[in-house]
Amino acid sequence: MLAAAALGLAVCTPAADAQVGTGPWTADSPGYSEQERGCGDISGLTFKLTCSTGSGDQRAERRYATYTGGTHQFEGSFKITSMTGSRISLKQTFRDGSNAGPYFMLAVEKGGRMYAVEGGATLGSGATVGTSVRVNTINQVGSSHKVYLNGSLKQTISSPGGSYYDKFGSYRTSSGAGPITVQWSGIKFWHK
């Protein structure tokens, strides 16, 4: 009986631990499309930039469906398996519609520093080859956008009203270049 209770706890715990922020949350399964440009290559949840080109559109990304209003949470873990380049964006929250464009971009430098591309604020360290990092973003449209790394809140910025979508993979920033290979896992979405 104790084993059954322990098993029940073990089964329930991952769902509670998977989310950050206050709930209750409702799971989502948004549709997506994939983008391969330049030397970008996608195979399942592995995203590569195979060249060291420091110009042009180099990307391998998965773009999820647009949402408007409400509070939306993304969760996923990335592990860089090889990287000789630097300044590669791994997760983005994009604005859609009349104000379309990048709103939040989490990027990584060679050496493991994670930073927000807009403004350059350091959000964390330790994103080195072979290390898994869990990323959560919570966008409360019209209020705030929060970024969590490994469950710890790292940034809160204002979120204007409008439409947004989530992207992840590997994307050369304007000051970056590959090569990089990054594997994503545990991709989940919620709303409330």
Side-chain angles (χ1 to χ4, degrees):
M1 183 121 130
L2 183 57
L7 178 59
L9 180 61
V11 170
C12 293
T13 300
D17 289 345
Q19 302 165 33
V20 296
T22 57
W25 296 98
T26 301
D28 283 331
S29 297
Y32 66 86
S33 60
E34 293 183 337
Q35 301 174 333
E36 294 177 320
R37 295 190 188 161
C39 64
D41 180 71
I42 302 171
S43 177
L45 287 173
T46 300
F47 301 81
K48 297 180 182 180
L49 298 181
T50 60
C51 62
S52 59
T53 303
S55 62
D57 194 2
Q58 314 300 328
R59 71 173 72 185
E61 296 178 310
R62 186 179 279 191
R63 178 205 191 279
Y64 282 83
T66 300
Y67 58 84
T68 304
T71 302
H72 299 264
Q73 181 171 177
F74 162 89
E75 177 178 285
S77 295
F78 70 83
K79 180 170 65 173
I80 298 167
T81 59
S82 67
M83 182 177 186
T84 54
S86 189
R87 302 184 69 80
I88 306 296
S89 177
L90 302 179
K91 163 63 175 78
Q92 301 176 41
T93 305
F94 236 75
R95 291 192 74 186
D96 206 358
S98 60
N99 292 312
Y103 163 68
F104 167 77
M105 297 173 70
L106 172 68
V108 64
E109 290 180 332
K110 190 173 182 179
R113 174 182 171 253
M114 293 172 281
Y115 66 98
V117 172
E118 182 68 31
T122 297
L123 302 182
S125 61
T128 53
V129 172
T131 301
S132 184
V133 176
R134 193 180 85 201
V135 178
N136 292 74
T137 57
I138 299 177
N139 189 14
Q140 185 176 357
V141 177
S143 179
S144 65
H145 181 276
K146 296 181 179 183
V147 180
Y148 296 78
L149 298 176
N150 293 325
S152 296
L153 179 61
K154 299 297 183 179
Q155 183 186 57
T156 302
I157 57 176
S158 177
S159 174
S163 300
Y164 293 84
Y165 59 87
D166 291 296
K167 294 169 71 170
F168 67 85
S170 57
Y171 173 84
R172 184 191 72 80
T173 66
S174 61
S175 59
I180 186 173
T181 300
V182 59
Q183 295 175 340
W184 280 87
S185 62
I187 307 303
K188 298 174 186 174
F189 295 87
W190 298 273
H191 76 274
K192 64 176 181 176

